[in-house]
Amino acid sequence: MFPIFAWLRLLGVPGADDRILSLSYPWIGRARNVARLRNIYPESHLIFAHLAKIALFYVMYEASQAAWSVVLYGKSLPDGLPVWVYGFAMIWEYFSIIFVRSALSAFFFPRISLLYFLCFHFYVYSVPYGFFDCAFIPFFFMMLHAMLYSLLAFEIPAARRGATSLECPREVYSRISWPEWTASLPQEWTLFLPLNSRYIPLHDRNVILSPAVGNLSQESPV
């Protein structure tokens, strides 16, 4: 996005300000501000370093996709079916990143997605050459149903009762054992940590006052 905004400014497009991007992507915006103040290297070096990392990860992703296609889908299949499965897995990923924020969604959606995924592949591997294209259609609609159910039954009520908010966008999260810069992205390996903490809204927390407060300690928890 930063190179695109730079090209838009060169074209004279109004409103293409880097300040909006710095606020939207603080792990890059903060680093650009520090690089500008200290003047150790140009800001473009930081942007191109991130672009190189993205290019490397994309090449690794494409290579692993081709390798896993041979391992998982080496049997005779309709042309393009593995691509559809990988594309749908990308939709799961984006849906989880954007919409799976409540504790109930985090408990329900990954499990039901895995169940549907295993059922579809059980049919694929148990039949020499079945109606795989036709089987993918109900698989798609069942996953769409799981997404809509997670939104309507879990996410909207969680947002209404304040379990998810701007201050804490996810109800459950992984708490690590050391402090991190709040505007920085955690290390990539923390993606594989189990969820171990839960956000509780302020008005739902039980407050036990210290006996040093006096008679207030005898009151019922707030």
Side-chain angles (χ1 to χ4, degrees):
M1 294 300 296
F2 285 93
I4 293 176
F5 269 54
W7 293 332
L8 291 177
R9 285 195 301 273
L10 291 177
L11 296 175
V13 176
D17 189 4
D18 279 350
R19 182 175 178 274
I20 301 176
L21 291 180
S22 298
L23 295 175
S24 302
Y25 307 94
W27 56 91
I28 299 180
R30 288 277 188 93
R32 290 185 69 226
N33 293 334
V34 174
R36 185 187 304 112
L37 293 175
R38 295 187 177 181
N39 199 23
I40 298 177
Y41 51 81
E43 300 175 31
S44 59
H45 290 187
L46 178 67
I47 301 300
F48 284 116
H50 280 276
L51 291 177
K53 178 182 177 181
I54 293 174
L56 175 62
F57 279 23
Y58 180 76
V59 172
M60 293 170 59
Y61 168 75
E62 290 294 332
S64 64
Q65 179 174 323
W68 281 108
S69 296
V70 176
V71 175
L72 297 178
Y73 305 109
K75 60 177 295 183
S76 180
L77 292 173
D79 188 25
L81 183 63
V83 178
W84 281 101
V85 174
Y86 290 138
F88 206 59
M90 183 179 64
I91 295 176
W92 293 339
E93 179 184 3
Y94 289 159
F95 180 84
S96 300
I97 292 174
I98 299 173
F99 295 109
V100 178
R101 300 179 178 274
S102 65
L104 291 176
S105 290
F107 180 83
F108 168 78
F109 184 74
R111 288 167 172 80
I112 195 65
S113 301
L114 179 61
L115 177 62
Y116 290 157
F117 185 82
L118 292 178
C119 289
F120 174 75
H121 283 76
F122 178 78
Y123 173 70
V124 169
Y125 290 121
S126 61
V127 180
Y129 195 93
F131 299 96
F132 300 141
D133 288 341
C134 296
F136 190 82
I137 296 176
F139 172 59
F140 171 81
F141 281 106
M142 286 189 294
M143 283 305 309
L144 183 62
H145 168 264
M147 294 177 184
L148 294 177
Y149 183 80
S150 299
L151 286 176
L152 299 177
F154 301 140
E155 293 302 325
I156 294 179
R160 287 176 176 173
R161 69 174 181 267
T164 56
S165 60
L166 292 176
E167 291 77 15
C168 190
R170 296 188 184 275
E171 189 177 2
V172 287
Y173 55 93
S174 296
R175 179 180 294 178
I176 57 178
S177 302
W178 56 88
E180 286 278 354
W181 181 32
T182 56
S184 174
L185 280 178
Q187 299 295 326
E188 286 85 357
W189 62 268
T190 58
L191 291 171
F192 304 98
L193 287 176
L195 301 173
N196 57 13
S197 298
R198 182 169 181 173
Y199 170 74
I200 301 176
L202 178 63
H203 298 289
D204 294 338
R205 300 177 185 177
N206 292 326
V207 178
I208 301 177
L209 300 178
S210 174
V213 178
N215 295 331
L216 293 178
S217 61
Q218 305 299 325
E219 298 291 336
S220 299
V222 177

